[in-house]
Amino acid sequence: MRLKFTKSTDIKEHYVTDEQVWQSRRAIIKGMGFAGAMSALSSSASANPLKWFSDEDKALFVQSPLNAITSIVAKDPMTKESVATSYNNFYEFGTSKDAPVKNAQEFKVNPWILKIDGLVESPTTIGYDDLFSKFSLEERIYRLRCVEAWSMVIPWVGFPLAKLLALAKPLSSAKYVAFETLEDPKQMPGQRSRFAGGGIDYPYVEGLRMDEALHDLSFMSVGMYGKTLPPQNGAPIRLVLPWKYGFKSIKSIVRITLTDKQPPTTWNILAPSEYGFYANVNPKVDHPRWSQARERRILGTGLRDQQRLDTLPFNGYTEVASLYKNMDLTKYY
Ligand SMILES: Nc1nc2c(c(=O)[nH]1)N[C@H]1C(S)=C(S)[C@@H](COP(=O)(O)O)O[C@H]1N2
Ligand SMILES: [Mo]
């Protein structure tokens, strides 16, 4: 089914204008030297030579303005739809990359019930149609970096997680958000035996700290490439967290629970020394069995569609860095 949504290109035009304005201003700042420009920005003197900077601009400048431009629309070339929908990790449907597309085609996503409960004022249940009608849908072109060191660039359609949580009115005592995938061994062959499901104790569970969940980048996807999600990509609704390793982006969610304790997470339970709760993309913290410094960007199936790239801190989404400012990221990996 095709979806109606605000196209990322519309959003991009808005940001590109900002960027052009920014670039022209930066050219002026360059002439003054960085220190001079910064002192001009922070002074409120009436003779401020940069008076054409609005207060908003100053905030952007100090926080690194390019982030605002790159966060919603990845500037990198996009992965081909046929590849993003056939090279998947969805262990409920088998552990090989081509198992989900082969085994998930009969997966029933309508009707669907998503429960939001726990430390909330209004426990909420939403159905399949609500997923596409309760919120205005927008497109986000995000980089997805798997902990296995491959990556893609995917245009998702959906809405911010914060909007979904707001429906249930989280209590101030809620400090974490727990997510759960459907458990249905009849439909999901990977849940029928430990071997078929990669040793995971199902249902697949994930979690976020409240401030991470409320960050604008945290996105609930109900579609990709302008259409509803295919089952292998987590239909009918999955999480997308572009600054974290892919395993945090839990698929086919049936329950979201607000809690005051850090919730257990599937890969951390399976191998705590290899996969942490935070799982922020970090080229400086290697996986015990392989380096995370570089990645293989998959754009298509041809040889020239595989790029070798340096992995960026927070997968390039550095505006989230302030969420972790007093944390040792080698300990909280
Ligand atoms: N329920 C569930 N969610 C999941 C997984 C899974 O096995 N089960 N795999 C994760 C991993 S490791 C990655 S890299 C992404 C892959 O998403 P994609 O197939 O849409 O690219 O989904 C994540 N979400
Ligand atoms: Mo992954």
Side-chain angles (χ1 to χ4, degrees), residues 89 145-148 150 204 245-248 267:
N89 276 334
R145 169 61 156 83
C146 176
V147 75
E148 298 162 341
W150 54 267
Y204 195 102
Y245 290 120
F247 66 82
K248 298 289 295 181
W267 282 93

Side-chain angles (χ1 to χ4, degrees), residues 76-77 87 145 148-152 290-299 302-312:
D76 321 30
Y87 183 94
R145 169 61 156 83
E148 298 162 341
W150 54 267
S151 65
M152 295 186 184
W290 60 84
S291 164
Q292 295 291 23
R294 296 182 48 86
E295 66 196 64
R296 179 171 58 99
R297 175 67 51 83
I298 306 172
L299 300 176
L303 261 185
R304 260 176 269 122
D305 297 323
Q306 319 282 313
Q307 304 176 334
R308 298 279 169 182
L309 302 172
D310 286 339
T311 287
L312 302 172

